[in-house]
Amino acid sequence: MAVDRDRLRVDIKENAQFGAVESDSGCGRSVLTGSDADQRARKRFITRLEDAGLEPRVDPVGNIAGRWIPDGVSADTAPIALGSHLDSVPRGGIFDGPLGVYAALEAVRAIQESAETPSRPLEVVSFTEEEGSRFGVGTLGSLVAVGEISVEEALSMTNDDGDTFEECLERIGFAGSSEIDPATWDAWLEVHIEQDTELESAEIPIGVVDSISGITNCTAAVAGESNHAGATSMVDRRDALSAASEFVVDVERIAKEVTNDHPTAVATVGRQDVEPNVRNIVPGRVRMEMDVRSVNGDAIDTIVERSADRFERLEHERPVETDFERNRDMPPIELSDRCVDAIELTAERLDVESTTMHSGAVHDTGNVAAKTDAAMLFVPSRDGISHSPHEWTDWDDCAISARILAATALELT
Amino acid sequence: MAVDRDRLRVDIKENAQFGAVESDSGCGRSVLTGSDADQRARKRFITRLEDAGLEPRVDPVGNIAGRWIPDGVSADTAPIALGSHLDSVPRGGIFDGPLGVYAALEAVRAIQESAETPSRPLEVVSFTEEEGSRFGVGTLGSLVAVGEISVEEALSMTNDDGDTFEECLERIGFAGSSEIDPATWDAWLEVHIEQDTELESAEIPIGVVDSISGITNCTAAVAGESNHAGATSMVDRRDALSAASEFVVDVERIAKEVTNDHPTAVATVGRQDVEPNVRNIVPGRVRMEMDVRSVNGDAIDTIVERSADRFERLEHERPVETDFERNRDMPPIELSDRCVDAIELTAERLDVESTTMHSGAVHDTGNVAAKTDAAMLFVPSRDGISHSPHEWTDWDDCAISARILAATALELT
C-alpha cells in the first residue's frame, strides 16, 4: 500500500490558494469561517471527496464528512474516522488543519488503490471553526458534534461584524442537515503538525499523541495608584506594574519548579494591560491573563494555587490590592490505548521511528475522545513555528504521516 | 497688604468653567490649546488683566503678559514677572496652572491696593501649552519665549487632527506680535500645586522650590519569540515578558538604592507594550519607556547606567535580545538663591511656615531660570493628586501663596 506524496502535496498546495496572504515565505493563508476563502476551500474538499468516491454530507454547523463503504462491508458498520480542520487563524500557515484533512483523504485513496480491504467504512472529516478565530470558541465544530454545545447555541453566536454563525454558514451554502456524530464512529485519528520542536530536534517523523493537556485560565489584576512620575517619591508610590512584574517572574519560576515532577506543565502570562500606560505616570492598574497547562491536573492545580498565593502575598509586601480569578478549566484528556498502540505497532512494522508524546495545544481530537477511541499523529514543524506563514512541514514527512495513518486505520478495522 | 481670598477663589472657579468635565468631584476641566475652552479662558484672563489696569499683550505663540507700571517707575525698568499657565491635560484639575496665573494677578492687585509702592513694574504671565497635551512638547510656550525653540518651528507643529499650532492660535485669535522675553525680566516667580504629599503630610502651607529635577528618558526593548503557550515547553520558550518583568523590578530596586544618597531620585517604567499580548501566546516582544529624575545629575546617570547594565545582562541569563536607548536628557536646574532667599525671608516675616524642596515635575520656571533669577512656591495638593478632577488645594492655602508671592515680589524690587 503506497500513498501518493505528490497527490497529497497538490491537495495541500491547492487548498493553500484559498485566502492566500502576502508573505516572504510565500505560503500563508487566512481562512476564517464564513469567508469566501472558507467557501472555496470547502467546495474543493467536497469535490476531492467525490473524486475519491466518498459521498459528502454536511451537518448543521458546517462540519463535513465523506464516507467510503468498501465492497462487502455493511453500511451500518461503525466507521473509522480520520480528519482535522480547514480553517486557519488570521495569517496562519498552510499545514495546521489541512494536512490532517488531506492526509486522511490520501490514506483512504491509498487503501482504495491497495490490495487491502478494510472491514469497516472509512470516513474523512473536516470540522468547522477549529481555531475559534471568527466566533471566539476554539474547536466549535467538534464541540457541537459531540453535544458539548447545542446546535442552537452555536448558530446564534455572533462574530465581530455582528453576523451570526448561522448567517455565515447559510451565506457560503454550508448549513447542512446531515448528522455527523463521533459517538457512531469505531475510532478516530487526526494527523496534525506538532507546533513545537521535539520531533524536529530528535529527527523523528511521527509523534504518537497519548494525551492532551488540560488548560486553566486565570486573570490577575493589580490596583495601585496612578501618579506623577516626577513628583511622587519612590517611597510614596503604589506602582501596579512593579507588583505585576514580580508576579510574572514568580509564575515562570513556579512553573519551572513544577516541571521537575511534571515535564508537560507550562504557565504563561501572555497578556498584560497597563493603565494609563504613559511614560511619565506611575502605573495605577495592571490586568494580566494567565494560561496554565499540563497533562496532569494536579500539576495545574499546584501552579495555579502557588501563583495565587504568591500574588496575594504582594498585598502584604507592597501598597497594592490584588484580585486573582480562576476562570476556566478544561481537564487533561487521556487518549485511547487501543489507538495509540495501533499507531506504534504500525510505525514499527513500517520501520518508521516514532515517539510517544503529549499535545500542549487543544485539538478536535480532545472532544472526539469523549465519544470514541481516539488518538493523534504529530509530524515535525520546522522550528516549531505555527499560526504563521512561516509554518512548514517537509512533504516527505506529510507523506509518511498519511502512510502511517492509512496502515493504522487498516490495523484498527 | 492683604490679598482677597474670595476674589482669588472666584477667579479660579470662573476659569474652571471653561472646558469643565463631568466628574464626581464636580471640578475637572479639559483646556487644550486652541480649543474653544482655551479661547474663553484666555479672553477672561485678558479682561481680568485689564480690570486691574494691566495692559495685556500676546506673543506669536500665544503667551500672554500684562504689565503694571507703578507711578514713578520708569517703563523700561526690568519687571518682576509672576505667572504660570492656563491649559490643562485632558480631564485635568482646576488648580494646576490657573492657581499660579491668578495668584500672580491677585498679588499685583493686593500690592496696588496696599500702601506699598514697588520700584519695578510687575508682569503677570500665562504661558501657552505648558502641559504639551495638544502638540506633544511640554512647556512649549516658555521654550519659545526663552529661545530654546524658534517661533517658526513651534508654529509648524501639528496636533492629532493635523492642524498646525499656527492655525490653532489664529482660529482662537491669540497669534500675537508682541514680545514676551524672560531675559528682560529682573526675576520670575511661579506658584504651583505640589502634586505630591510632602507639604500636606507635614502640614506646611508653602514649599520653597530651590531646584527642579533633571529628566532622562530611556526605551528598553526585549525581543524573544512569540510561540504557542500550550505547545512550547518551559525550557524552549523565549518569553519577552518574563525578561521585561525582571527589568521593571530591577529598575525599582536600583532607584530605591540610589535614594539612600539622593532622596529626590525616582525611576519609573510607566509604559510597557507587549506583543502580541494574547493570553495563549508566549510574548515575543516587549517595549518599555522609562523616566528617571533627580536634582542630581550623577544620581540619574547611576540609575540609568545600572539599569542598562542589568538589562543587558538579561541576554546572558535568558534567550532574549535587548536594546536599551537613552533618548533625552534634561539636566537638573538650580533655581536662584536670590529668589529662594526672598521667599524664605518673606514667609518667616509673615509667620508662615515654609520648607525648602525640589520639584520632580517640569515647569515653565525651568526654562525661565536660564534667562533670569527664578524660583517657585509650592502649595499643598490634597492626597498629592494632580492631572485629575480630584486635584484640590484649600482656598486658604491658595490665598497664603498669593500673599507670600506679593510680599516676595515687593522684597525683590
Side-chain angles (χ1 to χ4, degrees), chain A residues 196 217 228-232 237 241-242 245 248 252 266-273 277-279 289 318 360-361, chain B residues 195-196 217 228 230-232 237 241-242 245 248 252 266-273 277-279 289 318 360-361:
Chain A
D196 198 2
N217 294 331
H228 195 294
T232 317
R237 48 183 66 193
L241 180 57
S242 297
S245 298
V248 173
E252 185 191 51
V266 288
T268 309
V269 179
R271 177 162 189 167
Q272 186 179 66
D273 295 307
N277 211 31
V278 172
R279 185 192 61 235
E289 294 186 6
R318 294 173 168 272
Chain B
Q195 307 181 267
D196 197 5
N217 293 331
H228 194 294
T232 316
R237 48 183 67 194
L241 180 57
S242 296
S245 298
V248 174
E252 184 190 51
V266 288
T268 309
V269 179
R271 177 162 189 166
Q272 186 178 64
D273 295 308
N277 212 32
V278 172
R279 185 192 62 235
E289 294 186 6
R318 292 173 169 274

Side-chain angles (χ1 to χ4, degrees), chain A residues 347-396:
Chain A
E348 203 179 318
R349 198 181 291 149
L350 295 177
D351 205 21
V352 171
E353 196 177 2
S354 73
T355 184
T356 307
M357 60 198 303
H358 82 291
S359 171
V362 171
H363 296 287
D364 290 313
T365 297
N367 301 325
V368 174
K371 297 295 176 184
T372 189
D373 293 341
M376 295 185 76
L377 297 85
F378 273 180
V379 296
S381 305
R382 190 165 70 195
D383 298 330
I385 296 169
S386 68
H387 289 188
S388 156
H390 292 98
E391 178 181 294
W392 189 258
T393 293
D394 285 338
W395 297 115
D396 285 343

Side-chain angles (χ1 to χ4, degrees), chain B residues 7-27:
Chain B
R7 185 166 57 187
L8 175 58
R9 182 178 58 78
V10 168
D11 271 344
I12 293 171
K13 291 283 277 184
E14 289 193 356
N15 179 75
Q17 294 172 17
F18 310 127
V21 296
E22 293 278 335
S23 142
D24 54 3
S25 71
C27 50

